[in-house]
């Protein structure tokens, strides 16, 4: 079997694994786990994150007065279901051994049950009690840092979007000015220059469309990034309110990587020339100035790239960064290069104890 076929089979395996896990999660949340153990089907009305199971109304009353569980924090099942599916899929039980997690391995970024430690993490040194690892995670500096960074990225994206929209407006305004200048010049020359004039106006329209298309393309990426950041912010708020500490701890790592990716996206825009302002102008032909019959062109459209001067907030550097790109002139038919980002991907195996 070829390598590509093995990769395809593994992808199918992962898909069904995630699918059935979500189905199992939905079943666990919809049905009272205690009644289900007694082979009785009752709908769950609350979720206990510490017990990691849903409870019906009757079982909830026993749960609230039992000495072992009366101190547990619970939420309504409808509220709990508002958490993202990826968070709901996180449980306190090892999928491989069906035992409760007790240890967290920082070397492999993985929660472990007792059997995991013996089989896979026997030589690992950075092993900590999982209760200590997840303690106060929602109020930790790491959680706060993600929230603040998301807010910062959201604000930066808004500034960039506004700057691009303003540049689109200025291009339209300067385009009108250029057209007016061309028409006024046309009035000073003979009628046989009409053909050259039309040719230049077509070039102007083509240039405007080309430059606007590039900005629209960047705007689309920025707007999508804004939507992603908004989702991250909503997920953070939901996790802080309703997820267990373990769920919040593990979800934080994925969100932190997503946040870092969006942060890199913003910085790539800042460091590139794609945010330089595009300015249209018209340079009159020297032949036209002489108004002789040997004129071969009505002029040319000049595209000038100027620094926009956007101020981007950077908490990590504790200072604001201002884009200072040297003005760059380029031919009309030259397209701005697409933003290329190599995002580092780190896989957290929170439900699979096998380490590679």
């Amino acid at each position: 079997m070829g390598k590509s076929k093995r990769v395809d089979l593994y992808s199918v395996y992962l898909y069904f694994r995630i699918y059935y896990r979500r189905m199992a999660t939905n079943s666990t949340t919809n049905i009272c786990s205690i009644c289900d153990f007694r082979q009785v089907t009752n709908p769950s009305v609350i979720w206990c994150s510490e017990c990691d199971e849903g409870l019906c109304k009757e079982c909830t009353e026993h749960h609230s007065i039992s000495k072992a569980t009366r101190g547990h924090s619970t939420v309504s099942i409808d509220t709990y279901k508002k958490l993202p599916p990826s968070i709901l899929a996180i449980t306190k039980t090892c999928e491989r051994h069906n035992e409760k997690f007790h240890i967290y391995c920082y070397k492999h970024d993985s929660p472990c049950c007792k059997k995991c430690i013996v089989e896979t993490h026997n030589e690992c040194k950075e092993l900590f009690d999982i209760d200590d690892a997840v303690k106060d995670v929602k109020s930790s500096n790491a959680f706060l840092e993600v929230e603040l960074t998301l807010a910062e990225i959201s604000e930066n994206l808004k500034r960039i979007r506004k700057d691009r929209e303003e540049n689109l407006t200025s291009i339209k305004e300067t385009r009108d000015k250029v057209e007016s200048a061309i028409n006024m010049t046309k009035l000073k020359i003979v009628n046989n220059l009409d053909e050259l004039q039309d040719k230049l106006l077509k070039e102007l329209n083509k240039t405007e469309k080309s430059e606007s298309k590039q900005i629209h393309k960047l705007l689309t990426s920025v707007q999508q990034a804004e939507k992603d950041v908004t989702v991250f912010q909503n997920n953070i708020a939901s996790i802080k309110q309703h997820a267990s500490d373990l769920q919040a701890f593990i979800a934080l790592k994925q969100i932190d990587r997503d946040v870092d990716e969006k942060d890199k996206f913003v910085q790539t825009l800042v460091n590139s020339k794609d945010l330089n302002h595009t300015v249209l102008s018209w340079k009159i032909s020297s032949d036209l100035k002489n108004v002789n019959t040997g004129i071969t062109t009505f002029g040319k459209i000049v595209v000038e790239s100027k620094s926009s001067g956007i101020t981007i907030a950077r908490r990590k550097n504790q200072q604001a960064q201002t884009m200072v790109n040297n003005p760059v002139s380029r031919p009309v038919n030259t397209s701005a290069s697409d933003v290329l980002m190599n995002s580092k991907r780190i896989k957290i195996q929170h439900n699979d104890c096998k380490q590679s």
Side-chain angles (χ1 to χ4, degrees):
M1 183 182 295
K3 183 177 179 181
S4 60
K5 187 173 291 186
R6 288 199 300 270
V7 172
D8 291 341
L9 290 176
Y10 183 68
S11 299
V12 172
Y13 161 73
L14 289 178
Y15 171 81
F16 282 105
R17 177 177 169 183
I18 294 172
Y19 172 79
Y20 285 115
R21 181 164 184 78
R22 288 182 177 176
M23 292 292 290
T25 300
N26 291 334
S27 176
T28 302
T29 56
N30 291 330
I31 300 175
C32 175
S33 299
I34 296 177
C35 292
D36 186 49
F37 185 75
R38 295 181 296 162
Q39 298 183 344
V40 177
T41 302
N42 283 322
S44 56
V45 294
I46 70 160
W47 179 266
C48 178
S49 296
E50 296 185 50
C51 296
D52 200 27
E53 59 186 7
L55 302 172
C56 65
K57 184 176 181 181
E58 181 179 350
C59 292
T60 298
E61 295 178 357
H62 291 289
H63 182 273
S64 63
I65 61 177
S66 173
K67 184 177 181 180
T69 59
R70 61 191 176 197
H72 289 188
S73 176
T74 61
V75 296
S76 70
I77 203 70
D78 292 334
T79 300
Y80 181 72
K81 286 182 178 180
K82 292 179 180 178
L83 287 168
S86 59
I87 305 303
L88 294 175
I90 300 174
T91 68
K92 292 185 175 182
T93 305
C94 173
E95 187 181 69
R96 186 178 180 187
H97 301 113
N98 198 29
E99 290 192 5
K100 192 173 181 180
F101 291 130
H102 292 281
I103 299 296
Y104 191 85
C105 175
Y106 275 92
K107 177 182 178 181
H108 296 106
D109 273 338
S110 173
C112 314
C113 68
K114 294 179 180 179
K115 290 183 179 179
C116 288
I117 298 172
V118 175
E119 294 178 5
T120 314
H121 303 270
N122 196 33
E123 297 182 0
C124 296
K125 296 181 179 180
E126 294 184 283
L127 298 176
F128 295 87
D129 187 289
I130 198 162
D131 292 332
D132 294 334
V134 305
K135 183 180 180 182
D136 299 327
V137 64
K138 294 181 183 178
S139 59
S140 66
N141 289 333
F143 225 103
L144 177 62
E145 184 68 23
V146 170
E147 289 182 287
L148 293 176
T149 302
L150 278 171
E152 175 186 278
I153 294 173
S154 177
E155 181 61 28
N156 288 338
L157 289 171
K158 289 177 182 177
R159 292 179 185 178
I160 292 173
R161 174 173 53 82
K162 182 180 179 182
D163 179 77
R164 295 297 85 195
E165 290 170 347
E166 289 174 350
N167 195 191
L168 282 175
T169 301
S170 67
I171 287 177
K172 180 63 171 63
E173 292 174 350
T174 54
R175 184 252 180 223
D176 294 339
K177 292 179 181 179
V178 170
E179 182 176 6
S180 176
I182 292 172
N183 289 330
M184 289 181 65
T185 302
K186 176 221 172 182
L187 296 177
K188 300 177 182 179
I189 61 177
V190 294
N191 292 334
N192 64 353
L193 294 178
D194 285 347
E195 183 179 349
L196 293 176
Q197 178 208 18
D198 292 339
K199 181 179 179 181
L200 187 61
L201 288 177
K202 289 180 181 179
E203 181 186 359
L204 173 63
N205 291 332
K206 180 180 179 181
T207 302
E208 181 201 6
K209 291 179 181 179
S210 175
E211 295 301 317
S212 297
K213 182 179 180 181
Q214 294 175 31
I215 297 177
H216 275 300
K217 183 178 180 181
L218 181 57
L219 263 177
T220 299
S221 300
V222 170
Q223 290 168 346
Q224 182 59 50
E226 281 188 287
K227 292 179 182 178
D228 293 342
V229 169
T230 299
V231 171
F232 296 157
Q233 291 175 310
N234 293 338
N235 287 348
I236 282 288
S238 181
I239 291 169
K240 290 187 70 175
Q241 292 181 13
H242 309 304
S244 67
D245 287 343
L246 174 61
Q247 291 172 328
F249 178 78
I250 295 177
L252 174 62
K253 293 181 174 292
Q254 178 60 47
I255 296 175
D256 189 49
R257 286 193 294 274
D258 293 336
V259 169
D260 185 62
E261 181 180 346
K262 298 303 177 187
D263 191 30
K264 289 180 179 178
F265 170 69
V266 172
Q267 290 309 304
T268 300
L269 293 181
V270 171
N271 296 328
S272 69
K273 297 181 177 63
D274 290 340
L275 296 186
N276 285 354
H277 271 217
T278 299
V279 180
L280 298 181
S281 61
W282 178 54
K283 183 177 181 180
I284 190 171
S285 168
S286 59
D287 291 337
L288 186 60
K289 291 180 179 179
N290 297 327
V291 195
N292 60 50
T293 56
I295 296 175
T296 59
T297 177
F298 205 70
K300 66 178 181 179
I301 303 303
V302 177
V303 178
E304 187 177 359
S305 182
K306 294 183 178 180
S307 174
S308 62
I310 302 176
T311 300
I312 298 298
R314 286 290 292 155
R315 293 180 56 259
K316 292 183 179 180
N317 295 339
Q318 298 299 318
Q319 62 182 3
Q321 292 184 349
T322 302
M323 292 182 300
V324 183
N325 291 325
N326 294 327
V328 176
S329 295
R330 63 176 184 272
V332 171
N333 60 352
T334 302
S335 300
S337 60
D338 294 334
V339 176
L340 297 177
M341 296 183 297
N342 294 321
S343 301
K344 183 173 69 176
R345 302 289 183 182
I346 303 175
K347 181 179 180 183
I348 297 181
Q349 298 177 327
H350 52 77
N351 291 319
D352 193 345
C353 297
K354 185 176 181 181
Q355 305 295 331
S356 58

PDB file of all heavy atoms in Angstrom, residues 285-300:
ATOM      1  N   SER A 285       2.123  63.071 -21.648  1.00  0.00           N
ATOM      2  CA  SER A 285       3.158  62.708 -22.611  1.00  0.00           C
ATOM      3  C   SER A 285       3.910  63.965 -23.085  1.00  0.00           C
ATOM      4  O   SER A 285       3.311  65.028 -23.286  1.00  0.00           O
ATOM      5  CB  SER A 285       2.526  61.994 -23.810  1.00  0.00           C
ATOM      6  OG  SER A 285       3.447  61.868 -24.864  1.00  0.00           O
ATOM      7  N   SER A 286       5.210  63.837 -23.252  1.00  0.00           N
ATOM      8  CA  SER A 286       6.004  64.962 -23.775  1.00  0.00           C
ATOM      9  C   SER A 286       5.584  65.296 -25.203  1.00  0.00           C
ATOM     10  O   SER A 286       5.614  66.459 -25.619  1.00  0.00           O
ATOM     11  CB  SER A 286       7.493  64.608 -23.724  1.00  0.00           C
ATOM     12  OG  SER A 286       7.759  63.440 -24.483  1.00  0.00           O
ATOM     13  N   ASP A 287       5.158  64.276 -25.947  1.00  0.00           N
ATOM     14  CA  ASP A 287       4.673  64.522 -27.309  1.00  0.00           C
ATOM     15  C   ASP A 287       3.418  65.381 -27.299  1.00  0.00           C
ATOM     16  O   ASP A 287       3.211  66.248 -28.153  1.00  0.00           O
ATOM     17  CB  ASP A 287       4.380  63.201 -28.012  1.00  0.00           C
ATOM     18  CG  ASP A 287       5.647  62.409 -28.307  1.00  0.00           C
ATOM     19  OD1 ASP A 287       6.729  63.029 -28.380  1.00  0.00           O
ATOM     20  OD2 ASP A 287       5.534  61.176 -28.451  1.00  0.00           O
ATOM     21  N   LEU A 288       2.572  65.114 -26.280  1.00  0.00           N
ATOM     22  CA  LEU A 288       1.329  65.873 -26.188  1.00  0.00           C
ATOM     23  C   LEU A 288       1.601  67.339 -25.869  1.00  0.00           C
ATOM     24  O   LEU A 288       0.881  68.226 -26.328  1.00  0.00           O
ATOM     25  CB  LEU A 288       0.432  65.248 -25.113  1.00  0.00           C
ATOM     26  CG  LEU A 288      -0.972  65.827 -24.958  1.00  0.00           C
ATOM     27  CD1 LEU A 288      -1.761  65.686 -26.251  1.00  0.00           C
ATOM     28  CD2 LEU A 288      -1.697  65.162 -23.803  1.00  0.00           C
ATOM     29  N   LYS A 289       2.616  67.569 -25.088  1.00  0.00           N
ATOM     30  CA  LYS A 289       2.961  68.955 -24.761  1.00  0.00           C
ATOM     31  C   LYS A 289       3.327  69.748 -26.023  1.00  0.00           C
ATOM     32  O   LYS A 289       3.031  70.928 -26.154  1.00  0.00           O
ATOM     33  CB  LYS A 289       4.118  68.982 -23.772  1.00  0.00           C
ATOM     34  CG  LYS A 289       3.751  68.477 -22.376  1.00  0.00           C
ATOM     35  CD  LYS A 289       4.955  68.525 -21.456  1.00  0.00           C
ATOM     36  CE  LYS A 289       4.595  68.036 -20.056  1.00  0.00           C
ATOM     37  NZ  LYS A 289       5.761  68.060 -19.139  1.00  0.00           N
ATOM     38  N   ASN A 290       3.980  69.078 -26.926  1.00  0.00           N
ATOM     39  CA  ASN A 290       4.403  69.751 -28.153  1.00  0.00           C
ATOM     40  C   ASN A 290       3.292  69.837 -29.200  1.00  0.00           C
ATOM     41  O   ASN A 290       3.402  70.552 -30.205  1.00  0.00           O
ATOM     42  CB  ASN A 290       5.608  69.033 -28.766  1.00  0.00           C
ATOM     43  CG  ASN A 290       6.818  69.066 -27.837  1.00  0.00           C
ATOM     44  OD1 ASN A 290       7.011  70.045 -27.104  1.00  0.00           O
ATOM     45  ND2 ASN A 290       7.627  68.013 -27.866  1.00  0.00           N
ATOM     46  N   VAL A 291       2.223  69.094 -28.941  1.00  0.00           N
ATOM     47  CA  VAL A 291       1.064  69.071 -29.837  1.00  0.00           C
ATOM     48  C   VAL A 291       1.498  68.961 -31.300  1.00  0.00           C
ATOM     49  O   VAL A 291       1.203  69.820 -32.131  1.00  0.00           O
ATOM     50  CB  VAL A 291       0.178  70.332 -29.643  1.00  0.00           C
ATOM     51  CG1 VAL A 291      -1.188  70.116 -30.300  1.00  0.00           C
ATOM     52  CG2 VAL A 291       0.011  70.685 -28.192  1.00  0.00           C
ATOM     53  N   ASN A 292       2.211  67.909 -31.601  1.00  0.00           N
ATOM     54  CA  ASN A 292       2.564  67.688 -33.001  1.00  0.00           C
ATOM     55  C   ASN A 292       1.938  66.393 -33.490  1.00  0.00           C
ATOM     56  O   ASN A 292       1.403  65.602 -32.717  1.00  0.00           O
ATOM     57  CB  ASN A 292       4.092  67.668 -33.191  1.00  0.00           C
ATOM     58  CG  ASN A 292       4.746  66.556 -32.373  1.00  0.00           C
ATOM     59  OD1 ASN A 292       4.322  65.415 -32.416  1.00  0.00           O
ATOM     60  ND2 ASN A 292       5.776  66.910 -31.630  1.00  0.00           N
ATOM     61  N   THR A 293       1.981  66.189 -34.766  1.00  0.00           N
ATOM     62  CA  THR A 293       1.296  65.045 -35.369  1.00  0.00           C
ATOM     63  C   THR A 293       2.001  63.719 -35.108  1.00  0.00           C
ATOM     64  O   THR A 293       1.483  62.667 -35.469  1.00  0.00           O
ATOM     65  CB  THR A 293       1.198  65.252 -36.894  1.00  0.00           C
ATOM     66  OG1 THR A 293       2.520  65.453 -37.432  1.00  0.00           O
ATOM     67  CG2 THR A 293       0.329  66.458 -37.209  1.00  0.00           C
ATOM     68  N   GLY A 294       3.156  63.756 -34.488  1.00  0.00           N
ATOM     69  CA  GLY A 294       3.877  62.511 -34.217  1.00  0.00           C
ATOM     70  C   GLY A 294       3.524  61.902 -32.871  1.00  0.00           C
ATOM     71  O   GLY A 294       4.184  60.964 -32.419  1.00  0.00           O
ATOM     72  N   ILE A 295       2.467  62.403 -32.191  1.00  0.00           N
ATOM     73  CA  ILE A 295       2.067  61.870 -30.873  1.00  0.00           C
ATOM     74  C   ILE A 295       1.583  60.433 -31.025  1.00  0.00           C
ATOM     75  O   ILE A 295       0.744  60.138 -31.872  1.00  0.00           O
ATOM     76  CB  ILE A 295       0.972  62.741 -30.256  1.00  0.00           C
ATOM     77  CG1 ILE A 295       1.504  64.150 -29.978  1.00  0.00           C
ATOM     78  CG2 ILE A 295       0.461  62.127 -28.960  1.00  0.00           C
ATOM     79  CD1 ILE A 295       0.448  65.105 -29.477  1.00  0.00           C
ATOM     80  N   THR A 296       2.093  59.570 -30.199  1.00  0.00           N
ATOM     81  CA  THR A 296       1.702  58.141 -30.249  1.00  0.00           C
ATOM     82  C   THR A 296       0.973  57.687 -28.988  1.00  0.00           C
ATOM     83  O   THR A 296       0.462  56.565 -28.946  1.00  0.00           O
ATOM     84  CB  THR A 296       2.944  57.259 -30.449  1.00  0.00           C
ATOM     85  OG1 THR A 296       3.852  57.480 -29.362  1.00  0.00           O
ATOM     86  CG2 THR A 296       3.627  57.569 -31.773  1.00  0.00           C
ATOM     87  N   THR A 297       0.961  58.507 -27.963  1.00  0.00           N
ATOM     88  CA  THR A 297       0.271  58.121 -26.724  1.00  0.00           C
ATOM     89  C   THR A 297      -0.300  59.359 -26.047  1.00  0.00           C
ATOM     90  O   THR A 297       0.212  60.474 -26.212  1.00  0.00           O
ATOM     91  CB  THR A 297       1.224  57.406 -25.742  1.00  0.00           C
ATOM     92  OG1 THR A 297       0.520  57.112 -24.524  1.00  0.00           O
ATOM     93  CG2 THR A 297       2.428  58.270 -25.409  1.00  0.00           C
ATOM     94  N   PHE A 298      -1.374  59.178 -25.319  1.00  0.00           N
ATOM     95  CA  PHE A 298      -2.023  60.278 -24.628  1.00  0.00           C
ATOM     96  C   PHE A 298      -1.438  60.500 -23.231  1.00  0.00           C
ATOM     97  O   PHE A 298      -1.779  61.439 -22.539  1.00  0.00           O
ATOM     98  CB  PHE A 298      -3.522  59.982 -24.510  1.00  0.00           C
ATOM     99  CG  PHE A 298      -4.371  61.207 -24.374  1.00  0.00           C
ATOM    100  CD1 PHE A 298      -4.548  62.075 -25.441  1.00  0.00           C
ATOM    101  CD2 PHE A 298      -5.008  61.499 -23.171  1.00  0.00           C
ATOM    102  CE1 PHE A 298      -5.348  63.209 -25.313  1.00  0.00           C
ATOM    103  CE2 PHE A 298      -5.799  62.638 -23.038  1.00  0.00           C
ATOM    104  CZ  PHE A 298      -5.969  63.493 -24.108  1.00  0.00           C
ATOM    105  N   GLY A 299      -0.592  59.602 -22.827  1.00  0.00           N
ATOM    106  CA  GLY A 299       0.010  59.649 -21.492  1.00  0.00           C
ATOM    107  C   GLY A 299       0.006  58.257 -20.883  1.00  0.00           C
ATOM    108  O   GLY A 299      -0.191  57.264 -21.579  1.00  0.00           O
ATOM    109  N   LYS A 300       0.204  58.152 -19.603  1.00  0.00           N
ATOM    110  CA  LYS A 300       0.159  56.860 -18.944  1.00  0.00           C
ATOM    111  C   LYS A 300      -0.327  57.028 -17.508  1.00  0.00           C
ATOM    112  O   LYS A 300      -0.171  58.074 -16.890  1.00  0.00           O
ATOM    113  CB  LYS A 300       1.527  56.179 -18.957  1.00  0.00           C
ATOM    114  CG  LYS A 300       2.603  56.873 -18.139  1.00  0.00           C
ATOM    115  CD  LYS A 300       3.901  56.088 -18.191  1.00  0.00           C
ATOM    116  CE  LYS A 300       4.989  56.768 -17.351  1.00  0.00           C
ATOM    117  NZ  LYS A 300       6.261  56.006 -17.365  1.00  0.00           N
TER     118      LYS A 300
END
